[in-house]
Amino acid sequence: MRRLLPLLLLLLGIALPAFAQSTSSPTQAFPYTLKTDKLPNGLTVVRVPYPSQGIVSYVTVVRVGSRNEVEAGKTGFAHFFEHMMFKGTPRHPEGERERILGTFGFDDNAFTTDDITLYYSYGPTAGLPQLIDIEADRFRNLEYSEPSFRTEALAVLGEYHKSAAAPFLKMEETLNAAAFTKHTYRHTTLGFYEDIKAMPEAYQYSRDFFQRWYTPDNTLLFIVGDFDDDQVMKLVRENYGPWDRKTSTITVPTEPPQTQPRNAHVDWPQPTQPRQVLAWHTPAASANTNNAAIQTVLVAYLVGPTSPAYKQLVLEQQLVESIGSDYVDHRDPHLFTLTATLKDERHRDRVRLALLREVSKVAAGKVDAARVKAIQDNARYGALMALQTPRDVGIQLGWYAGILGTPDGLQRHLAHLAKVTPAQLSEFTKRYLQASKLTQLSLTPKVDTAGGTK
Amino acid sequence: MKTQTLVSLTALLSLAGCASQQKPAPEHTPPPAQEATATPPVEAPPLAPAEVPAIPLQQPKPMELVVLARPDTPIVTFRLVFHSGSIDDPKGKEGLTALTATLMAEGGTQKLTSAQLLDALFPMAAELDTSVDKEFTTFSGRVHRDFLPRYLDIFTDVLLAPRLDAAELERLRTNAISTVENGLRSANDEGLGKAALDALIYEGHPYAHYTGGTVQGLKSITLDDVKAHAQRVFTQDRLVVGLAGAVDDALKQSLLSRLGTLPATGAPRVTLPTVTATSGRAVILQKQTLSTAVSMGYVNPVRRGDPDFFPLAFALTHLGEHRQSIGLLFNELREKRGLNYGDYAYAEHFIEDPGTTYNRTNIARTQQDLTVWIRPVDPSHAVFATRGALYFLDQLVKEPIAQERFDLMRGFLQGYSRLWEQTDPRRLGYAIDSLFYGTPHYLEQYRQALTKMTPQSVQEVLRRRLHPAALNFAFVTQDAEALANALRSGQPSPITYASDKSQALLDVDKSIIGLPLPVRADAITVTPAQSFMEK
């Protein structure tokens, strides 16, 4: 099965809404206008006027993440490559980006996920011409030396070590390895530790990675803030127009259906709270289904702050410090999770069964419509509250566009959320949150009396 | 593993965000002595002051109102800032202020249980939070004006009629203890290093204990303690009321008249003692970990409002603005040498505002600290990295910042500082801080001051007010004894690289490798992380 189907369809200009130019109007949930153009080379350029008095955010999302890492030994590369994107070009050698953008005071950063890599610069509109020039140049002509590459690999290793202090990275690694047997979601965004340590040797591969994925037809650009649209589009066309690579196609292995419950366990060698995770295989997020919206509502319904499970386990019985979910929208089928941070190992089963009971109720059709409506109100107002700056707007737009493969991904997601019905929650739960598709992860602290530092 | 809200920016940014940049061009390397652009000072720089007195912050009038209304938003922002914090914790009950504030904000009101409070706020997507620092406690709220009347009732009830029930106290106490035992000591080496440095440089001072409390302090707190403490420290005479966004006169009057029923006064203000400046002390917290976290700093008499603060802040931004790749330390230690994930420097106490790279507002301090943060390094590089940070700090005292670099950093701060004030909560925060520091229009004043600075004027301030020899150190590492021995011995800390380095870099390394660290061999303490903040 070709997991890249949505992307291929995008390339062929069918199935997904074809647009050369479009304008979307403000809605109650998203009170901003999107002006969208697609350049002949396939680059999608979205501008969003925002009353920010001379401040602009500039967000580039590339539809590449650890999901694309199909070669053995090369996990973590999308994230590593994000680091390398700051290393200069023949025209702007290493260090020059900093001088040019630094002069204006841009906050200039990026992050990588399983599915996307998102770059953002946030600062004064006065620097926008220089920013467009230097951004287009790096996406077209990135070039760095092998010593620079080798050194940066050590910073990535440092990032791994920093993250390894808390149990979450180990938990995610263990859960993914248990839940996925074939799909690249088997490894985390940071990648396997052994692969990270081997990164300095992969210089040539990194060059190929750039050619393969950093292409205009695999990239969306969002410019949000206070700027002259005509002037900006002129500069964007001039600078990005000659970018001419085509994205690669790879086959991301399809995850075979899970047919039996699975268990995984972590012994954590330091003091920490016991933890329990329930994870079911569920469908991908996509622009034309409400699967992501249903799962978003379901998280709030099952373990949100107004859920019976929260009231019972957190507030009344005080068996857990917290309950929640790590559910994140993904391009391919991923996991719907419920998580519990326990106060005492002895209550593990009680908590686990209480969560499963809540799932069973929904599967049996017992859904409180008033609570669903409250969740939808929370989603609508929460979206408004979350968009406080052009940076917020740009990153949210970029995130959903990257996952869903359409520039209006955020608006679609919000529209889907408003339409979720109690019956849909029930049907989805019955269909996907089944015992046979469940992987359970437990974590227990194993500390010797001397403090566990052998 | 955190609950992911619908569109939580913080959650998005915490997924796998990372700054990644490039090294500066060669001219940004500290120039060799013969290229120095200024005549080296003939006299040695003055020593750090032996004492840092507690010169009180200014006191706004009771319930002073700060309003930043704007017509183009439907959101109302509340920010109530009390001049009360962990310094108000009674001895033996460390954590009382934070636990009291949390119980008020989360534990329900006399009309609503904690569960009903959540039910009421949820459909509004309204925010109601509290945060506690050494001297300040903030109750903050945001709500869409569609829900303002109902929210105003709830928000003010949290302060005026909190439920303060025993079961919720137990729940939140258990969480607070877990935060120390499982979070700080065990799962957050970077935070642990920073808290350990605080405890070291403020030893014996009300700032010394972790704001969230000590394990024994938290265990000893009773419900009566909480009830009494709320009346003692959340009083009108300590309160500044901030309102922003969709605000009108009716809201102002309604809020003020309700808050007028808070106790007028409570406990007498805590008199902060003079800090006797220590230097050269090191604490090494021992725990199982792959890498070594490093924090260093000293108590600093220069705070906002001091004419020397702006030049000092500018220089520390040049050295290492938090999570910005433009800093000198970031470029030298991370980008060129690959030692770790980041290296930063701070002219005043810094706590990252969640979801941003900016300092939190309303964490003002009477006695500030100046710190450098080295994110975790391979244990074999811990001493080298520490020396490296010290070397570049030393350079600031010895030589003016090169003009080109100076101009770059000035431009950077002119723009970047505007990002600090892009939201209503942050704008309110700055306005409220300005009342206590006596620095009206603080950010605008900073930008004005930048236009008048020169490399020479900044360096003159640094020579007088920056004291690398005054540093103290906190490390979090697994092989604590090996690190202690390395520090005691003063032996060189050579380094080899897996890739080619420029001769200029290797020449700087020669100076770093043997640089004497200001660590006194008799002032190195090794402590198991598991005993940190026990009492």
Side-chain angles (χ1 to χ4, degrees):
Chain A
M1 189 171 158
R2 291 149 65 197
R3 286 282 161 212
L4 271 178
L5 197 59
L7 185 59
L8 294 173
L9 292 174
L10 191 62
L11 294 181
L12 298 169
I14 55 171
L16 286 176
F19 58 90
Q21 190 173 45
S22 69
T23 301
S24 79
S25 301
T27 62
Q28 196 181 16
F30 185 78
Y32 307 99
T33 302
L34 264 60
K35 292 190 249 180
T36 304
D37 281 85
K38 190 176 245 186
L39 303 195
N41 60 5
L43 178 71
T44 301
V45 186
V46 183
R47 291 91 63 214
V48 186
Y50 188 104
S52 48
Q53 288 82 48
I55 298 288
V56 67
S57 78
Y58 193 93
V59 171
T60 309
V61 62
V62 186
R63 301 191 76 208
V64 61
S66 51
R67 169 188 176 277
N68 299 59
E69 294 156 359
V70 293
E71 291 105 328
K74 295 295 187 291
T75 67
F77 237 87
H79 168 241
F80 182 22
F81 197 80
E82 172 223 310
H83 284 236
M84 297 317 297
M85 276 295 287
F86 291 84
K87 296 296 182 186
T89 68
R91 195 159 63 84
H92 294 298
E94 199 167 353
E96 202 168 306
R97 176 186 184 85
E98 210 156 55
R99 277 198 297 287
I100 292 169
L101 298 187
T103 303
F104 292 100
F106 278 100
D107 177 13
D108 188 38
N109 211 327
F111 63 83
T112 309
T113 75
D114 292 352
D115 293 316
I116 63 167
T117 310
L118 188 147
Y119 298 84
Y120 68 88
S121 301
Y122 175 43
T125 305
L128 200 45
Q130 289 84 346
L131 180 61
I132 293 170
D133 169 41
I134 203 163
E135 280 294 86
D137 186 41
R138 75 166 165 168
F139 277 86
R140 286 167 54 197
N141 307 309
L142 182 73
E143 195 168 284
Y144 46 81
S145 68
E146 185 159 4
S148 169
F149 174 85
R150 286 176 169 274
T151 303
E152 194 60 31
L154 298 173
V156 173
L157 187 63
E159 188 175 354
Y160 184 95
H161 285 165
K162 166 189 77 73
S163 303
F168 310 118
L169 179 60
K170 181 74 177 175
M171 288 172 73
E172 191 186 353
E173 287 175 344
T174 307
L175 177 65
N176 290 6
F180 294 99
T181 57
K182 294 274 191 291
H183 193 282
T184 44
Y185 289 152
R186 188 173 162 77
H187 58 265
T188 69
T189 300
L190 285 176
F192 294 128
Y193 190 41
E194 294 308 311
D195 292 354
I196 297 170
K197 287 193 280 194
M199 277 174 176
E201 307 306 319
Y203 178 68
Q204 187 50 51
Y205 178 79
S206 76
R207 306 296 306 140
D208 297 343
F209 192 91
F210 177 64
Q211 295 294 328
R212 205 184 271 185
W213 301 115
Y214 280 67
T215 62
D217 53 0
N218 201 35
T219 303
L220 300 99
L221 172 60
F222 291 85
I223 309 171
V224 184
D226 173 25
F227 55 89
D228 180 313
D229 193 67
D230 290 344
Q231 195 185 358
V232 162
M233 272 316 287
K234 181 171 175 288
L235 289 171
V236 166
R237 287 180 204 282
E238 282 171 9
N239 285 275
Y240 286 90
W243 188 15
D244 62 354
R245 291 190 300 276
K246 289 284 181 216
T247 192
S248 294
T249 55
I250 49 158
T251 304
V252 177
T254 304
E255 183 61 26
Q258 184 175 327
T259 54
Q260 292 291 321
R262 296 176 193 165
N263 289 293
H265 181 76
V266 174
D267 280 332
W268 189 249
Q270 295 189 58
T272 192
Q273 307 92 319
R275 288 178 172 86
Q276 179 70 39
V277 181
L278 307 172
W280 292 265
H281 284 277
T282 52
S286 70
N288 299 314
T289 71
N290 60 0
N291 285 329
I294 287 173
Q295 290 178 82
T296 303
V297 173
L298 204 50
V299 166
Y301 190 87
L302 290 169
V303 289
T306 61
S307 64
Y310 186 92
K311 286 170 184 166
Q312 179 193 343
L313 299 173
V314 177
L315 298 177
E316 289 164 18
Q317 298 172 359
Q318 301 192 13
L319 300 180
V320 298
E321 268 186 30
S322 61
I323 56 173
S325 171
D326 296 322
Y327 169 75
V328 176
D329 297 342
H330 276 78
R331 276 181 70 176
D332 291 341
H334 196 257
L335 300 172
F336 177 87
T337 61
L338 301 179
T339 64
T341 303
L342 301 159
K343 294 197 179 187
D344 193 316
E345 181 64 39
R346 289 172 303 172
H347 304 315
R348 183 181 297 280
D349 265 356
R350 203 169 144 193
V351 169
R352 195 173 57 80
L353 294 170
L355 291 172
L356 289 171
R357 261 197 311 277
E358 292 304 314
V359 172
S360 299
K361 281 184 200 165
V362 176
K366 296 174 189 160
V367 180
D368 179 345
R371 284 196 55 229
V372 176
K373 183 184 178 302
I375 290 164
Q376 288 167 321
D377 288 345
N378 174 278
R380 185 158 54 90
Y381 282 100
L384 281 177
M385 303 272 287
L387 302 173
Q388 290 193 80
T389 66
R391 175 176 174 266
D392 300 343
V393 175
I395 289 175
Q396 296 288 349
L397 286 170
W399 163 269
Y400 283 99
I403 301 287
L404 300 176
T406 176
D408 60 348
L410 173 60
Q411 294 93 315
R412 286 182 187 228
H413 182 65
L414 293 170
H416 282 309
L417 278 172
K419 292 178 190 153
V420 171
T421 65
Q424 288 172 338
L425 290 179
S426 180
E427 287 157 23
F428 185 95
T429 303
K430 199 161 142 185
R431 184 168 170 192
Y432 296 108
L433 306 197
Q434 297 174 3
S436 61
K437 300 180 196 298
L438 173 64
T439 300
Q440 299 190 73
L441 173 76
S442 49
L443 176 139
T444 305
K446 293 281 185 203
V447 186
D448 65 33
T449 49
T453 49
K454 285 177 181 168
Chain B
M1 293 193 169
K2 288 181 179 164
T3 304
Q4 171 116 3
T5 52
L6 165 69
V7 274
S8 156
L9 188 65
T10 310
L12 284 191
L13 292 179
S14 65
L15 285 166
C18 56
S20 41
Q21 243 67 338
Q22 58 296 327
K23 59 187 185 228
E27 61 264 35
H28 290 176
T29 308
Q34 67 270 22
E35 288 181 22
T37 50
T39 310
V42 285
E43 41 184 313
L47 295 173
E51 293 186 332
V52 179
I55 298 161
L57 296 168
Q58 300 203 0
Q59 278 194 36
K61 68 178 195 293
M63 291 221 298
E64 178 138 352
L65 180 65
V66 177
V67 180
L68 300 174
R70 61 188 178 103
D72 59 345
T73 179
I75 312 289
V76 184
T77 298
F78 296 79
R79 198 164 182 87
L80 306 190
V81 179
F82 289 94
H83 195 179
S84 312
S86 61
I87 62 167
D88 292 287
D89 295 347
K91 195 158 180 53
K93 297 198 183 282
E94 291 80 8
L96 180 59
T97 307
L99 191 55
T100 302
T102 308
L103 187 59
M104 289 164 74
E106 290 186 37
T109 65
Q110 286 170 21
K111 291 179 195 152
L112 302 171
T113 65
S114 55
Q116 290 167 331
L117 176 68
L118 291 167
D119 283 340
L121 294 174
F122 187 71
M124 312 177 189
E127 296 167 8
L128 201 166
D129 299 307
T130 186
S131 64
V132 179
D133 193 50
K134 304 291 185 193
E135 291 193 48
F136 287 89
T137 298
T138 302
F139 289 88
S140 55
R142 289 174 72 229
V143 67
H144 194 283
R145 67 178 162 219
D146 288 357
F147 307 109
L148 184 57
R150 174 77 176 117
Y151 181 83
L152 184 62
D153 285 347
I154 294 170
F155 186 72
T156 49
D157 276 356
V158 157
L159 286 142
L160 303 167
R163 196 170 191 88
L164 303 182
D165 89 14
E168 278 295 279
L169 173 64
E170 286 318 307
R171 180 175 77 83
L172 296 167
R173 178 211 313 275
T174 307
N175 290 358
I177 291 169
S178 176
T179 297
V180 178
E181 290 182 335
N182 298 316
L184 189 65
R185 291 173 179 174
S186 190
N188 181 0
D189 295 357
E190 296 180 328
L192 181 60
K194 290 175 182 184
L197 182 66
D198 250 7
L200 179 69
I201 63 180
Y202 291 109
E203 191 176 8
H205 185 284
Y207 285 179
H209 67 271
Y210 178 58
T211 305
T214 63
V215 172
Q216 295 306 322
L218 288 163
K219 283 181 176 170
S220 75
I221 290 167
T222 66
L223 191 57
D224 285 341
D225 290 335
V226 171
K227 288 176 176 170
H229 199 64
Q231 297 288 309
R232 291 174 71 249
V233 300
F234 298 134
T235 54
Q236 291 184 46
D237 64 328
R238 295 176 176 227
L239 172 62
V240 174
V241 180
L243 274 173
V247 179
D248 58 17
D249 286 339
L251 173 61
K252 283 187 256 182
Q253 284 160 10
S254 177
L255 180 62
L256 284 181
S257 77
R258 294 181 198 207
L259 293 173
T261 62
L262 280 169
T265 59
R269 301 294 174 103
V270 170
T271 305
L272 293 171
T274 292
V275 173
T276 304
T278 59
S279 61
R281 301 173 70 194
V283 61
I284 305 173
L285 291 174
Q286 196 254 335
K287 71 182 283 282
Q288 180 169 320
T289 177
L290 287 167
S291 47
T292 303
V294 188
S295 286
M296 59 188 92
Y298 58 83
V299 181
N300 183 21
V302 186
R303 73 182 190 210
R304 291 186 201 181
D306 184 312
D308 288 339
F309 181 76
F310 286 145
L312 191 63
F314 170 80
L316 274 281
T317 282
H318 151 71
L319 191 65
E321 179 68 27
H322 181 72
R323 290 185 57 204
Q324 291 299 306
S325 51
I326 200 163
L328 184 66
L329 292 178
F330 185 99
N331 277 280
E332 291 291 342
L333 302 184
R334 168 180 157 163
E335 293 294 275
K336 289 185 183 180
R337 292 173 174 81
L339 291 176
N340 62 356
Y341 185 48
D343 307 274
Y344 309 107
Y346 310 94
E348 61 182 348
H349 197 83
F350 187 97
I351 304 172
E352 186 178 80
D353 199 0
T356 77
T357 52
Y358 324 136
N359 201 358
R360 263 179 50 190
T361 59
N362 310 131
I363 57 166
R365 295 187 180 194
T366 301
Q367 289 148 302
Q368 275 292 0
D369 46 50
L370 183 146
T371 57
V372 175
W373 179 38
I374 307 295
R375 301 195 80 166
V377 293
D378 187 281
S380 64
H381 296 151
V383 177
F384 179 89
T386 306
R387 282 176 158 143
L390 179 68
Y391 172 85
F392 293 106
L393 198 64
D394 272 340
Q395 294 294 313
L396 280 181
V397 179
K398 289 176 178 165
E399 295 161 0
I401 300 166
Q403 186 69 51
E404 189 186 357
R405 171 73 182 177
F406 188 92
D407 293 339
L408 167 65
M409 292 312 301
R410 175 158 48 196
F412 174 78
L413 268 171
Q414 293 281 11
Y416 189 65
S417 66
R418 290 197 57 207
L419 304 183
W420 300 342
E421 51 176 348
Q422 287 297 308
T423 64
D424 283 337
R426 293 190 57 83
R427 281 189 282 266
L428 275 178
Y430 276 107
I432 292 167
D433 278 337
S434 287
L435 295 176
F436 289 98
Y437 280 122
T439 53
H441 311 294
Y442 168 74
L443 290 176
E444 200 43 53
Q445 289 299 315
Y446 191 7
R447 290 188 281 260
Q448 284 294 319
L450 287 167
T451 64
K452 300 183 182 74
M453 291 179 201
T454 66
Q456 288 68 32
S457 73
V458 170
Q459 209 260 326
E460 189 274 328
V461 169
L462 296 177
R463 220 180 66 77
R464 285 187 291 106
R465 309 302 301 262
L466 184 63
H467 305 290
L471 286 170
N472 301 274
F473 301 83
F475 302 91
V476 177
T477 194
Q478 183 153 323
D479 193 347
E481 278 308 328
L483 178 56
N485 288 335
L487 293 171
R488 277 190 205 105
S489 75
Q491 289 295 306
S493 45
I495 185 166
T496 54
Y497 298 105
S499 57
D500 292 342
K501 301 295 175 198
S502 70
Q503 192 54 50
L505 181 145
L506 297 173
D507 289 344
V508 170
D509 276 6
K510 284 178 193 162
S511 302
I512 293 173
I513 286 164
L515 187 70
L517 280 172
V519 177
R520 290 180 281 125
D522 62 348
I524 300 169
T525 313
V526 174
T527 312
Q530 289 312 312
S531 64
F532 184 67
M533 289 297 153
E534 181 62 25
K535 57 185 181 184

